[in-house]
Amino acid sequence: MRVYIRSPRPEDEGAYSAAVIRSADHLTPWNPVEPDGFAALLRRQGPVLRSYLIFDRADDGLVGRVNIANIVRARFRNAALGYDSYVPYAGTGRMTEGLRLIIDRCFDDGPDGIGLHRLEINVQPENQRSIALAKRLGFRYEGFSPRMLFLNNAWRDHERFALTVEEWPGTGD
């Protein structure tokens, strides 16, 4: 693996802000660009949201951020993955590698895992790179949700993709 993952720390704020600013053109069509949002991200961490940062092993550069949001336990054991990749690593396969590590952690029942059964990714239909990433990871298409999320001052349609632990390589029955 060319990457490693870990939870965000306060000392990551500068690298995060710089990565978001550097990647603004890349991010703007799909997500709000919030270089000053790191402190709020740290405050929101808890039982329903966990975030991970993906770093390049060669230079410790920030490859991307992944949120595991809307974590539901009990019988559902489901969450939604959201992610941003950062320039210059976007398009190099490092986000795929990092997401594989994060999905492993999501499905892991051990002390460092989240113990989920199902994950979903919701992608705006025009975001072909993100759709390709979801498919590359083995997520299956589940449907279309009109006006699902309010992003960049408008309600945006999304395509839904999902994956269960049984479908993930190396886990399940």
Side-chain angles (χ1 to χ4, degrees):
M1 288 273 185
R2 296 174 293 170
V3 300
Y4 65 94
I5 64 169
R6 66 170 170 74
S7 298
R9 303 173 184 156
E11 59 267 22
D12 297 321
E13 187 167 14
Y16 176 86
S17 180
V20 170
I21 290 168
R22 183 175 60 245
S23 306
D25 290 343
H26 171 70
L27 299 172
T28 295
W30 319 116
N31 285 318
V33 175
E34 301 171 327
D36 298 326
F38 192 75
L41 179 72
L42 288 179
R43 282 192 305 275
R44 291 193 326 261
Q45 299 302 300
V48 298
L49 175 71
R50 290 205 195 165
S51 298
Y52 290 94
L53 300 178
I54 301 171
F55 292 93
D56 183 76
R57 283 192 186 280
D59 64 9
D60 287 320
L62 185 54
V63 171
R65 174 194 42 85
V66 177
N67 288 335
I68 304 153
N70 304 322
I71 299 170
V72 180
R73 306 292 181 174
R75 293 179 190 257
F76 196 28
R77 290 183 24 191
N78 183 68
L81 290 180
Y83 43 83
D84 286 332
S85 63
Y86 302 130
V87 174
Y89 306 99
T92 66
R94 286 170 175 80
M95 278 299 291
T96 302
E97 291 178 26
L99 274 163
R100 283 189 176 118
L101 295 171
I102 291 165
I103 293 167
D104 282 344
R105 187 156 299 175
C106 286
F107 288 145
D108 184 7
D109 282 323
D112 292 331
I114 301 175
L116 297 175
H117 177 259
R118 182 179 179 280
L119 290 168
E120 62 182 61
I121 294 174
N122 299 292
V123 182
Q124 293 174 57
E126 300 82 13
N127 190 345
Q128 293 301 311
R129 290 177 78 172
S130 193
I131 289 172
L133 176 58
K135 290 178 177 179
R136 202 168 34 253
L137 291 165
F139 283 73
R140 70 188 133 62
Y141 180 77
E142 284 199 326
F144 179 77
S145 298
R147 297 169 304 284
M148 180 181 183
L149 287 175
F150 193 76
L151 297 168
N152 294 332
N153 298 311
W155 286 101
R156 307 290 177 178
D157 298 340
H158 281 70
E159 294 188 12
R160 291 186 325 277
F161 297 84
L163 179 72
T164 63
V165 68
E166 294 89 357
E167 297 165 309
W168 187 240
T171 62
D173 297 329

